[in-house]
């Protein structure tokens, strides 16, 4: 999932997102997420991002004085759950097809890499994008989630589902306890939505999908447990007795993510958490997540989050 701009996956022609969050938005969720805000003559929009090893979530709130169009920039194909709390919107794809998204509804979409757009009429809008992590996406039978305009799985948000999602705005908990509760909340609503939509899963024995499953799964586990070590494809291939090309292609086919992207994502996510929750110097954080120099780490981090490490620490 791309994170090349501070605005997240959404871009607006008239918006230049900033981390200067107004006091009116200072709720606990803000302090537990990467948040960006902007205001212009067309209205206000607040973007919040948070993730764990299972999901990546983008939460958007906007108040439009006039109609606006935001682009959704995806660098790779993705299974997306879109929950629309308030307002109506229209999703346009690169093929100039459109899907009307009503209030209090959800949609499960299989989006291809490109720039899609959301058309937002004047008024209040609030919607949540949930992206499956590659590990979970590999367990879903993707054929049961068609492209957006082939009758995508969808439904109405029940009162209980809406109340559960609105639990994201709680003020009582923070820190690790809140992150665990938020993870459980999102996973529960996500899998309940998959069940309601009739999405099917692959067999637990993933070996039937790839002959190197056991080896590739061990590689994945090793990376997660040794993120501070040297993790080049050549090093991993030699350690697990597999050809580098076979490792690279097999990993992508099985987990729907390039191996080098998985390593980078784990490193930068751990770095973000250390920046947010500790006072460890940037140089030490760079070493802790497997970078040899603070300069190299800072360059990659700034490109990924569109803010240097110290800016993230100040949020």
């Amino acid at each position: 999932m791309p994170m090349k701009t501070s605005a997240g996956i959404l871009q607006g022609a008239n918006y230049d997102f900033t981390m200067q969050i107004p006091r009116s938005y200072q709720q606990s969720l803000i302090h537990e997420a990467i948040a960006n805000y902007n205001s212009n003559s067309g209205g206000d929009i607040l973007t919040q991002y948070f993730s764990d090893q299972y999901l990546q979530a983008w939460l958007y709130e906007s108040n439009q004085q006039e109609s606006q169009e935001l682009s959704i920039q995806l660098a790779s194909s993705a299974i997306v759950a879109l929950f629309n709390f308030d307002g109506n919107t229209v999703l346009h794809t690169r093929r100039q097809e459109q899907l009307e998204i009503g209030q209090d509804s959800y949609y499960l979409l299989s989006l291809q890499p490109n720039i899609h757009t959301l058309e937002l009429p004047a008024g209040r809008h609030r919607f949540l994008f949930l992206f499956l992590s590659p590990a979970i996406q590999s367990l879903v039978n993707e054929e049961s989630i068609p492209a957006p305009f082939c009758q995508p799985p969808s439904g109405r948000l029940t009162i209980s589902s809406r109340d559960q999602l609105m639990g994201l705005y709680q003020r009582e908990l923070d820190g690790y306890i809140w992150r665990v509760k938020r993870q459980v909340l999102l996973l529960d609503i996500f899998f309940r939505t998959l069940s309601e939509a009739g999405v099917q899963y692959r067999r637990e024995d993933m070996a039937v999908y790839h002959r190197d499953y056991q080896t590739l799964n061990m590689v994945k586990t090793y990376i997660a447990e040794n993120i501070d070590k040297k993790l080049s494809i050549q090093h991993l291939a030699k350690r697990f007795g597999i050809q580098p090309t076979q490792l690279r292609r097999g990993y992508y086919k099985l987990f729907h993510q390039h191996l080098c992207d998985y390593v980078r994502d784990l490193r930068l996510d751990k770095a973000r958490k250390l920046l947010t929750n500790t006072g460890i110097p940037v140089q030490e954080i760079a070493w802790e997540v497997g970078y040899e120099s603070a300069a190299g780490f800072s360059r990659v981090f700034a490109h990924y989050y569109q803010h240097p490490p110290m800016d993230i620490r100040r949020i």
Side-chain angles (χ1 to χ4, degrees):
M1 167 178 164
M3 291 186 60
K4 296 182 180 180
T5 66
S6 61
I9 60 169
L10 291 189
Q11 288 287 289
N14 300 317
Y15 284 113
D16 181 19
F17 285 76
T18 172
M19 288 195 190
Q20 300 303 313
I21 312 298
R23 289 187 176 274
S24 59
Y25 283 109
Q26 294 299 324
Q27 302 182 58
S28 62
L29 180 58
I30 293 289
H31 301 293
E32 295 292 337
I34 296 175
N36 303 275
Y37 169 83
N38 196 261
S39 176
N40 67 13
S41 60
D44 303 286
I45 187 168
L46 176 71
T47 302
Q48 297 173 81
Y49 167 79
F50 39 89
S51 69
D52 56 37
Q53 66 268 42
Y54 303 113
L55 295 167
Q56 292 180 315
W58 295 96
L59 181 64
Y60 294 88
E61 296 180 68
S62 69
N63 190 3
Q64 309 291 138
Q65 277 75 56
E66 58 188 53
S67 178
Q68 297 276 338
E69 192 171 87
L70 297 175
S71 60
I72 306 173
Q73 302 187 13
L74 296 180
S76 59
S77 59
I79 293 177
V80 184
L82 170 58
F83 298 92
N84 190 31
F85 301 90
D86 296 302
N88 298 315
T89 183
V90 179
L91 173 67
H92 301 268
T93 71
R94 57 183 179 178
R95 296 181 179 179
Q96 304 303 314
E97 298 172 301
Q98 64 181 42
L99 177 67
E100 294 185 2
I101 298 174
Q103 182 171 311
D104 287 325
S105 62
Y106 70 82
Y107 290 83
L108 294 173
L109 308 172
S110 180
L111 295 178
Q112 297 303 308
N114 211 290
I115 298 178
H116 313 288
T117 60
L118 274 179
E119 180 184 335
L120 302 179
R124 179 177 173 80
H125 300 274
R126 179 162 42 189
F127 43 92
L128 172 71
F129 285 95
L130 289 183
F131 288 75
L132 283 174
S133 71
I136 294 183
Q137 184 170 327
S138 66
L139 299 175
V140 174
N141 183 348
E142 297 182 34
E143 294 180 358
S144 61
I145 304 179
F149 306 101
C150 300
Q151 297 181 338
S154 62
R156 301 289 297 175
L157 286 177
T158 62
I159 294 177
S160 60
S161 294
R162 183 182 174 89
D163 289 345
Q164 188 172 6
L165 286 168
M166 293 305 294
L168 289 171
Y169 294 89
Q170 66 84 35
R171 297 168 181 248
E172 293 77 23
L173 302 176
D174 57 19
Y176 179 74
I177 294 176
W178 169 229
R179 288 193 291 273
V180 170
K181 181 175 180 179
R182 184 177 64 199
Q183 179 187 79
V184 172
L185 183 154
L186 288 174
L187 283 175
D188 182 59
I189 191 67
F190 190 82
F191 279 101
R192 184 141 47 88
T193 300
L194 292 181
S195 178
E196 291 176 2
V199 173
Q200 300 173 356
Y201 300 92
R202 294 186 178 186
R203 291 170 52 182
E204 282 294 318
D205 183 9
M206 292 295 289
V208 302
Y209 294 99
H210 199 285
R211 64 181 182 179
D212 296 320
Y213 168 72
Q214 297 296 339
T215 299
L216 295 171
N217 199 47
M218 286 191 293
V219 170
K220 187 179 181 71
T221 301
Y222 176 82
I223 291 172
E225 295 175 350
N226 297 273
I227 200 62
D228 60 322
K229 295 182 172 59
K230 184 176 181 180
L231 296 171
S232 67
I233 289 179
Q234 289 72 21
H235 171 80
L236 293 169
K238 182 177 180 180
R239 181 179 182 87
F240 290 92
I242 186 172
Q243 291 297 317
T245 300
Q246 187 179 356
L247 170 59
R248 184 171 59 252
R249 292 177 178 175
Y251 191 93
Y252 182 80
K253 182 177 181 180
L254 188 62
F255 296 114
H256 301 274
Q257 184 180 35
H258 293 294
L259 190 149
C260 58
D261 289 343
Y262 174 65
V263 173
R264 178 205 61 199
D265 290 354
L266 283 186
R267 283 177 168 165
L268 295 184
D269 185 62
K270 181 177 180 180
R272 180 178 62 82
K273 291 174 181 175
L274 289 172
L275 285 165
T276 303
N277 301 319
T278 75
I280 299 175
V282 172
Q283 175 70 70
E284 294 184 22
I285 290 178
W287 294 335
E288 185 75 18
V289 299
Y291 286 89
E292 295 181 356
S293 72
F297 161 71
S298 296
R299 182 173 61 253
V300 175
F301 189 96
H303 179 74
Y304 191 83
Y305 288 111
Q306 279 298 294
H307 291 283
M310 291 308 297
D311 280 5
I312 299 297
R313 172 161 278 171
R314 296 189 189 103
I315 296 178

